Amino acid sequence: MKLSACKQLNRNGNKVNRLIYLALCLFFCGHALSQMPDTAKKTYHFSGTITATNNGISLIPTFSLGKPAAIFSFSMGSKRLSFDPEFRFALDGKPWSMIFWWRYKMVKANRFSFNVGAHPSFVFKTINAVSNGVPKDMIVANRYLAAEFVPTYALSRNITVGMYYLYSHGIDEESVQNTDFITLNASFSNIKLPGELLFRFNPQVYYLKQDGKDGYYLSSIFTLAKQRFPVMLQSIINKTIRTDIGADKDFVWNASILYYFNNNYVRHR
């Protein structure tokens, strides 16, 4: 039993080491490539989305907060390399999660693109504890490291298909140690409706595996926007096909309002 446990610990340790190495390579290689002079001027961006929702839904949509939430997502950087932090809170003020993405656009061809990313993250939960004999609620954080790989192919200007793969490793013993999240997805954007309204539809089917347990799911994101207007309406739905992951819910949905801003600026060399 001890030998088996040691082998499993070594395997998990190797995965963490590979993940950390990958994250460092993505950052330093991306940063180096982004500094290579390709034109006389360089474009940078700072953008963000502020979301209020009746039910906070995770990046893996079968998992949800189960109550109203606010999400603050930002992106800053150049055309290829960006830092994309995300802060999620319940509307009662308690933190839900904090994710610190570094993303790099490795390939940007006529129709095909391939992006990679890596992040450390913190997922918070409230536990019951006793301090000096007095019961009280305490907020604790579980730490994760993750990497993503995102190939996408454009069938037309407004229709794309692609895959998404995320591997996440929990650093703390009580957290999920290994997560594999693989999707087949599509995007149908700029569907014109009356009154300068635009509709976007993002369906996906995905496979999820966590510490030996797995499942299959269907989900979709529906977005309604107005041209040249920064406020959007959005809804996410998720349906379980088959699973043996105990924390899953058979059906998850939410409705959200989003405020989006985008600022680009050019630095001359």
Side-chain angles (χ1 to χ4, degrees):
M1 291 290 292
K2 291 183 178 180
L3 181 59
S4 177
C6 288
K7 289 181 178 179
Q8 182 63 36
L9 182 61
N10 287 334
R11 285 196 293 267
N12 289 339
N14 289 335
K15 285 187 176 180
V16 176
N17 291 336
R18 287 196 295 268
L19 193 57
I20 294 173
Y21 179 74
L22 173 62
L24 292 174
C25 285
L26 289 175
F27 172 68
F28 288 113
C29 292
H31 180 71
L33 288 172
S34 68
Q35 299 304 309
M36 295 175 64
D38 51 358
T39 62
K41 56 186 179 181
K42 198 172 185 67
T43 302
Y44 294 88
H45 72 271
F46 176 70
S47 61
T49 304
I50 301 173
T51 303
T53 179
N54 70 315
N55 180 23
I57 292 180
S58 173
L59 172 64
I60 302 175
T62 190
F63 301 125
S64 65
L65 184 63
K67 54 185 177 181
I71 303 170
F72 303 87
S73 303
F74 303 97
S75 180
M76 57 201 79
S78 62
K79 289 183 178 180
R80 286 188 175 269
L81 180 66
S82 66
F83 175 54
D84 305 337
E86 185 174 287
F87 307 94
R88 297 174 171 233
F89 298 87
L91 288 189
D92 60 7
K94 292 182 179 180
W96 170 21
S97 66
M98 296 181 183
I99 307 173
F100 301 94
W101 279 110
W102 284 97
R103 290 187 166 110
Y104 183 69
K105 297 178 175 62
M106 291 188 67
V107 179
K108 182 61 177 177
N110 185 29
R111 290 180 176 268
F112 177 75
S113 65
F114 183 68
N115 302 337
V116 295
H119 76 241
S121 65
F122 304 88
V123 178
F124 300 89
K125 63 180 179 180
T126 301
I127 63 171
N128 297 320
V130 177
S131 177
N132 297 324
V134 179
K136 60 187 299 185
D137 290 338
M138 294 183 62
I139 297 175
V140 298
N142 288 334
R143 298 165 297 169
Y144 295 87
L145 290 173
E148 68 176 4
F149 304 88
V150 193
T152 305
Y153 185 80
L155 298 176
S156 68
R157 184 176 180 181
N158 297 321
I159 301 175
T160 63
V161 294
M163 296 180 62
Y164 180 87
Y165 173 64
L166 173 78
Y167 172 74
S168 173
H169 180 81
I171 298 174
D172 304 291
E173 290 184 1
E174 64 273 15
S175 62
V176 176
Q177 295 298 294
N178 299 291
T179 297
D180 294 280
F181 175 55
I182 307 170
T183 83
L184 296 175
N185 55 69
S187 176
F188 303 89
S189 60
N190 293 322
I191 301 173
K192 293 185 178 181
L193 300 176
E196 294 189 331
L197 294 177
L198 298 174
F199 181 69
R200 185 171 70 241
F201 174 44
N202 300 88
Q204 69 176 7
V205 57
Y206 65 92
Y207 170 76
L208 175 65
K209 184 177 181 180
Q210 291 191 315
D211 290 345
K213 297 182 179 181
D214 63 358
Y216 296 87
Y217 311 83
L218 286 170
S219 73
S220 187
I221 301 175
F222 306 91
T223 305
L224 183 64
K226 186 176 182 180
Q227 297 184 51
R228 299 176 296 278
F229 190 66
V231 177
M232 298 175 283
L233 301 177
Q234 190 175 89
S235 178
I236 302 174
I237 62 171
N238 186 86
K239 180 71 174 68
T240 299
I241 301 173
R242 182 208 61 81
T243 185
D244 56 11
I245 299 175
D248 284 0
K249 296 179 180 179
D250 182 65
F251 183 75
V252 176
W253 74 277
N254 73 359
S256 307
I257 184 169
L258 295 77
Y259 172 77
Y260 173 78
F261 64 90
N262 185 17
N263 294 308
N264 292 319
Y265 59 95
V266 177
R267 185 182 74 183
H268 294 270
R269 294 186 183 277

